[in-house]
Amino acid sequence: EVQLLESGGGLVQPGGSLRLSCAASGFTFSTYAMSWVRQAPGKGLEWVSSISDNGGATYYADSVKGRFTISRDNSKNTVYLHINRLRAEDTAVYYCAKYETPHSGFYSRSFDHWGQGTLVTVSS
Amino acid sequence: SYVLTQPPSVSVAPGQTATITCGGDNIGVKRVHWYQQRPGQAPVLVVYDDFDRPSGIPDRFAGSNSGNTATLIVSRVEAGDEADYYCQVFDYNSDHWVFGGGTKLTVL
């Protein structure tokens, strides 16, 4: 059974930093691209960032480019999202999601499994 | 950037059919995926690649995609289908993954 478990959320002051983690199990983690998707309170889903299976390619939404960094450790079956210079508008539940298709064929594919999310609150 | 447009809300009586649209420029050439999100829960994939269903998703959920509109049809609607539904595609021009704004399905 595929499981994705996010952690690392919390209350942070504007301008602060945070590292989110997503521990994966139940599939061959090193062969799948992974993604982060967020949802602000009462709002819709927003794609944030994605990373290829070997970590060699990364992608970012315009709203977070330059402030967020996605990375992964395939030896630990974990994907990370490093968040810097946090703003109030970054307040959201951050979900980790797995692509449906392994290796390089993930671009147009769906997110077939999601974690339960971790809440990031940016407030002074 | 590529934009997906969904109606904010759709209401339907139990047992009837709900139709949720997702509009986008020439969306018919893209693979469209649909997610259900019940209150307080994570999204769940209900339709992928326009019309395929993951295992465990009932055949009451069906999808289609042509021209500038993709559609999710929920037949024989049940109270448990009440949720937010999001369409999603990949935009090759920007290398961005895009979600629609979401549609709240209310079962009357």
Side-chain angles (χ1 to χ4, degrees):
Chain A
E1 179 192 4
V2 172
Q3 291 193 350
L4 301 171
L5 184 60
E6 301 95 336
S7 61
L11 175 62
V12 187
Q13 291 189 340
S17 299
L18 213 54
R19 188 186 77 165
L20 307 183
S21 301
C22 171
S25 61
F27 64 103
T28 307
F29 179 76
S30 62
T31 65
Y32 285 85
M34 299 293 293
S35 185
W36 288 94
V37 176
R38 69 183 180 182
Q39 186 171 37
K43 301 298 184 182
L45 301 174
E46 179 189 16
W47 169 75
V48 173
S49 182
S50 296
I51 187 167
S52 61
D53 56 353
N54 63 5
T58 57
Y59 308 85
Y60 299 94
D62 295 344
S63 58
V64 306
K65 196 167 188 177
R67 298 188 300 121
F68 289 19
T69 302
I70 191 171
S71 63
R72 64 190 295 161
D73 185 339
N74 285 346
S75 68
K76 295 183 178 178
N77 286 358
T78 301
V79 60
Y80 304 98
L81 188 67
H82 305 256
I83 308 176
N84 297 315
R85 304 200 306 275
L86 276 157
R87 306 167 179 167
E89 54 265 36
D90 296 320
T91 294
V93 173
Y94 286 72
Y95 293 103
C96 169
K98 166 189 168 293
Y99 284 94
E100 166 210 346
T101 302
H103 301 302
S104 61
F106 66 96
Y107 293 97
S108 62
R109 300 298 186 171
S110 65
F111 303 113
D112 67 343
H113 289 87
W114 298 64
Q116 285 303 305
T118 186
L119 176 63
V120 173
T121 303
V122 184
S123 175
S124 55
Chain B
S1 60
Y2 195 79
V3 176
L4 295 174
T5 302
Q6 298 182 236
S9 63
V10 168
S11 299
V12 65
Q16 300 303 303
T17 297
T19 301
I20 299 173
T21 58
C22 175
D25 183 34
N26 206 19
I27 195 174
V29 302
K30 298 181 180 296
R31 285 192 172 111
V32 179
H33 317 297
W34 291 91
Y35 303 89
Q36 175 194 68
Q37 186 179 34
R38 295 188 174 105
Q41 296 187 19
V44 172
L45 180 67
V46 292
V47 167
Y48 67 99
D49 292 355
D50 297 338
F51 52 77
D52 286 328
R53 286 184 309 277
S55 60
I57 301 300
D59 61 5
R60 299 184 301 102
F61 289 85
S64 65
N65 183 20
S66 178
N68 293 316
T69 305
T71 304
L72 175 70
I73 296 174
V74 186
S75 306
R76 304 183 299 283
V77 166
E78 304 173 355
D81 298 331
E82 190 161 281
D84 293 324
Y85 291 84
Y86 296 90
C87 57
Q88 177 252 315
V89 300
F90 176 69
D91 178 26
Y92 279 93
N93 287 335
S94 61
D95 278 354
H96 283 21
W97 287 261
V98 181
F99 287 94
T103 298
K104 181 176 181 58
L105 174 61
T106 300
V107 181
L108 300 171

